[in-house]
């Protein structure tokens, strides 16, 4: 889905682009060069797109597949091999529609152990986000359009009780919300609620709660906080706990993608920045 002419104002390509994060209410986006991310699993479904080349993907320790795009449900163990090339990583929260909201972005694809692996797909907008050093100005709009395009072609809808619970966790990420509280709100027992949550979201309740805490920490760092301050702001006991959880979530230490970030700050008269927009 190429962007319509004139929709986004594109700057000249920088010879030394830095990694870029965008975190908002419903989405988390990263683009930057990666080497190897060991076996890991995410707390939300994710769409991957190689900016200029194929990348290696191995699921559950199986054989390697070389693809241009992939859609990976939450909770699926996988490894990545990029050899230093840039990769776009686009996560959506359950209220958006789950993994089905991302499936239409992958093209010429096949399924491997529950993962959609594609030879083609949508990467043009993500490439522009990578190549434009001022993309913070229009990242939110671009991701809105990308997701709207995909959701028009998605069919499945999440159970509204789980969607409401996910929204609550996202809005109260600094709290260790007990499962019983959300189960009561859904009119279910704790065990019924947890089974439904895992089935709909793809990861257990506690894992998704931890994912929201990780999003807060990433947002803090991208906005200029150091790792220790960000860890405390997100509810981690200390920086070591944050680092360990980051490794489990992304398969690499936080220094790989959270140091030397692109300066995304911009100031315009009358401009209002969303709290989490980076």
């Amino acid at each position: 889905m190429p962007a319509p002419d004139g929709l986004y104002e594109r700057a000249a390509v920088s010879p030394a682009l830095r990694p870029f994060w965008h975190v908002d209410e419903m989405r988390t986006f990263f683009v930057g060069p990666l080497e190897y991310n060991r076996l890991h699993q995410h707390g939300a479904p994710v769409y991957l797109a190689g900016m200029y080349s194929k990348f290696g993907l191995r699921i559950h320790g199986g054989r390697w597949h070389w693809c241009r795009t992939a859609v990976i449900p939450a909770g699926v163990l996988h490894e990545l091999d990029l050899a230093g090339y840039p990769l776009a990583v686009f996560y959506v929260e359950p209220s958006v529609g789950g993994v089905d909201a991302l499936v239409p972005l992958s093209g010429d694809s096949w399924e491997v152990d529950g993962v959609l692996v594609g030879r083609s797909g949508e990467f043009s907008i993500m490439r522009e986000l990578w190549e434009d050093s001022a993309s913070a100005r229009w990242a939110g709009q671009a991701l809105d359009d990308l997701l709207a395009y995909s959701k028009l072609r998605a069919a499945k809808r999440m159970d509204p009780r789980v969607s409401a619970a996910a929204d609550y966790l996202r809005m109260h990420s600094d709290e260790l919300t007990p499962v019983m509280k959300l189960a009561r709100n859904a009119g279910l027992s704790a065990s019924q609620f947890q089974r439904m949550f895992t089935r709909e979201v793809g990861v257990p309740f506690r894992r998704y709660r931890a994912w929201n805490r990780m999003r807060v920490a990433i947002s803090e760092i991208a906005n200029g906080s150091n790792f220790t301050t960000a860890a405390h702001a997100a509810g981690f006991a200390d920086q070591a706990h944050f680092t360990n959880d980051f490794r489990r979530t992304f398969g690499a230490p936080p220094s790989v993608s959270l140091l030397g970030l692109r300066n995304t700050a911009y100031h315009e008269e009358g401009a209002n920045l969303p709290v989490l927009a980076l």
Side-chain angles (χ1 to χ4, degrees), residues 8-257:
Y8 309 124
E9 183 178 350
R10 183 173 173 183
V13 176
S14 167
L17 293 171
R18 296 181 179 182
F20 171 59
W21 284 91
H22 176 97
V23 183
D24 61 27
E25 290 285 320
M26 295 294 182
R27 302 156 308 189
T28 304
F29 175 77
F30 166 80
V31 61
L34 297 174
E35 293 289 344
Y36 166 72
N37 286 40
R38 63 178 177 80
L39 204 64
H40 62 287
Q41 59 182 180
H42 301 300
V46 63
Y47 174 70
L48 307 177
M51 292 296 89
Y52 308 106
S53 61
K54 296 179 180 179
F55 58 90
L57 171 64
R58 183 158 67 174
I59 306 154
H60 298 301
R63 70 182 184 88
W64 285 97
H65 300 272
W66 294 92
C67 53
R68 189 66 186 273
T69 62
V71 178
I72 305 177
V76 174
L77 287 164
H78 61 284
E79 299 168 75
L80 297 173
D81 186 354
L82 275 299
Y85 290 101
L87 180 75
V89 185
F90 184 34
Y91 307 90
V92 293
E93 297 308 300
S95 301
V96 171
V99 68
D100 293 273
L102 298 175
V103 166
L105 296 177
S106 183
D108 192 14
S109 54
W110 68 101
E111 186 175 331
V112 180
D113 294 331
V115 170
L116 198 64
V117 179
R119 297 184 180 91
S120 62
E122 173 49 46
F123 52 84
S124 59
I125 288 178
M126 295 178 174
R127 182 187 287 173
E128 290 195 48
L129 284 167
W130 166 242
E131 293 179 348
D132 184 353
S133 60
S135 57
R137 296 174 181 267
W138 53 271
Q141 179 191 351
L143 295 175
D144 279 344
D145 292 344
L146 184 66
L147 195 53
Y149 161 83
S150 187
K151 287 181 68 177
L152 283 174
R153 291 152 178 80
K156 187 178 178 182
R157 295 293 182 267
M158 178 169 289
D159 187 291
R161 293 170 292 183
V162 174
S163 179
D167 280 343
Y168 185 91
L169 289 172
R170 176 176 49 80
M171 295 171 65
H172 300 82
S173 57
D174 58 338
E175 301 175 6
L176 289 178
T177 306
V179 67
M180 184 57 72
K181 177 177 181 176
L182 297 182
R184 282 197 303 267
N185 292 344
L188 299 169
S189 69
S191 59
Q192 288 174 322
F193 173 79
Q194 290 189 87
R195 285 195 298 270
M196 176 184 287
F197 192 95
T198 301
R199 182 178 68 248
E200 294 282 319
V201 177
V203 291
F205 168 81
R206 289 186 179 181
R207 182 66 181 167
Y208 181 70
R209 187 175 64 184
W211 165 250
N212 276 278
R213 186 168 58 177
M214 180 61 65
R215 279 172 26 94
V216 171
I218 291 171
S219 178
E220 289 284 333
I221 293 169
N223 276 317
S225 295
N226 60 40
F227 284 12
T228 299
T229 300
H232 290 154
F236 290 96
D238 52 36
Q239 182 181 332
H241 282 82
F242 162 69
T243 298
N244 290 336
D245 202 35
F246 192 97
R247 284 179 177 272
R248 285 193 297 270
T249 303
F250 299 105
S255 57
V256 172
S257 60

